[in-house]
Amino acid sequence: MDGRPLAHHHPSPEALRAAPLLVASDLDRTLIYSAPALGLTMPDAEAPRLLCVETYEHKPLSYMTETAAALLAELAGATTFVPATTRTREQYGRIHLPGPAPEFAVCANGGHLLVHGEPDPDWQRTVAGRLAARCAPLDEVRAHLVRAADPAWLLKERVAEDLFAYLVVERPLLPDTWVKDLAGWADERGWTVSLQGRKIYAVPKPLTKSAAVAEVARRTGASGILAAGDSLLDADLLLAADRGWRPGHGELADSGWHAPHVTALDERGVAAGEEIVRAFLGGVVPPGHAG
């Protein structure tokens, strides 16, 4: 069992459209893409126009297609749109998405719930209590990561928001079974492991995007949730949603992950990001009412 309510408990598409919906989406490699992740395979003359949505150290870093940006602005004006990211608050703050600023945002994989850009203290207390009760402390996991990693392929070791740890690695040099072995060790201590690009995340199991998004749904009275994501850290969010989408790239696609209510897109890279926003908008705005 994956923990989802039975299908017949979910509202019908007609009911979803009749009441307020919440749209929650991962950002990196789901809605926004760095240059190496764009996945543009067509001739240069046919490539889509891109909008830069993040600058880092005075250089453009992340992009959407201009079409996706226009659709996202329309979506954000039509419903509650919640960015749900593993990024820290500081890293999230570099992103400037089109449309009105989101009232709510989920950072640090659910560790922080931002309300009008400020961390919600009640949510922080809730998260701290769950972590203390259900999993090994961060220091223990971080120490194991550092001991187990090989300097030959370890580039950086970081802690995010004093909540979880991650490594930046030379992925071609990473031993085939290292992540699987780490995942087994972490699972016994209430933690989960995810490999995304060059980063290996170790995250406490109670620290989830779905829990934070459920809190937003509770506060807004949302009738249902639409969601998207590309990594194993997004699986809980997709399972908790009424409808979901995943791109044709990423951890979920590579592992063949699926769920009956989650659409596995064929599109990869920035084209998938555009298709996801289009799907969100189609789920929120009744046919014939799109702008």
Side-chain angles (χ1 to χ4, degrees):
M1 294 291 290
D2 58 29
R4 285 186 73 243
L6 294 176
H8 64 264
H9 290 166
H10 284 259
S12 68
E14 292 76 14
L16 288 177
R17 287 195 172 96
L21 270 176
L22 184 153
V23 175
S25 182
D26 176 50
L27 294 178
D28 292 280
R29 296 171 62 87
T30 298
L31 288 191
I32 69 174
Y33 292 81
S34 65
L38 288 173
L40 298 176
T41 57
M42 69 285 289
D44 290 344
E46 299 174 16
R49 287 167 58 96
L50 300 174
L51 175 71
C52 178
V53 295
E54 179 187 14
T55 301
Y56 180 56
E57 294 182 344
H58 311 295
K59 297 178 182 178
L61 184 60
S62 298
Y63 304 86
M64 307 175 72
T65 68
E66 288 188 350
T67 299
L71 293 171
L72 183 60
E74 183 177 354
L75 176 72
T79 191
T80 300
F81 170 66
V82 183
T85 180
T86 306
R87 286 180 176 230
T88 64
R89 289 169 290 173
E90 180 183 3
Q91 292 167 337
Y92 170 70
R94 300 196 304 250
I95 300 172
H96 299 282
L97 296 171
E103 180 181 358
F104 299 96
V106 174
C107 293
N109 211 63
H112 288 289
L113 176 59
L114 304 188
V115 183
H116 297 295
E118 297 297 325
D120 185 86
D122 290 337
W123 182 249
Q124 286 179 289
R125 284 190 287 270
T126 296
V127 168
R130 291 174 180 173
L131 297 186
R134 302 181 194 174
C135 49
L138 171 63
D139 287 348
E140 176 185 339
V141 175
R142 181 185 185 185
H144 179 80
L145 281 174
V146 174
R147 284 197 306 270
D150 188 333
W153 46 259
L154 177 62
L155 300 177
K156 298 177 185 176
E157 177 265 332
R158 294 286 186 269
V159 167
E161 303 270 20
D162 291 324
L163 290 168
F164 62 90
Y166 65 92
L167 306 178
V168 182
V169 303
E170 287 281 11
R171 188 159 173 174
L173 301 180
L174 190 66
D176 290 342
T177 63
W178 196 86
V179 173
K180 182 179 179 181
D181 293 343
L182 174 64
W185 180 92
D187 182 66
E188 296 175 354
R189 291 158 178 82
W191 286 62
T192 187
V193 170
S194 174
L195 174 62
Q196 301 180 44
R198 297 194 307 158
K199 292 182 178 179
I200 301 170
Y201 290 92
V203 179
K205 289 183 180 180
L207 198 67
T208 63
K209 295 179 181 181
S210 62
V213 169
E215 175 65 12
V216 177
R218 185 187 70 81
R219 295 187 189 189
T220 60
S223 65
I225 298 171
L226 308 183
D230 72 297
S231 82
L232 290 175
L233 291 175
D234 299 314
D236 68 283
L237 176 59
L238 291 170
L239 289 172
D242 296 282
R243 291 179 64 193
W245 292 265
R246 68 160 174 82
H249 62 258
E251 253 187 325
L252 296 179
D254 292 346
S255 65
W257 185 95
H258 67 278
H261 65 294
V262 177
T263 300
L265 298 173
D266 292 328
E267 290 85 357
R268 301 170 59 89
V270 73
E274 182 176 313
E275 190 61 28
I276 285 168
V277 186
R278 199 184 310 278
F280 281 154
L281 195 58
V284 168
V285 179
H289 289 71

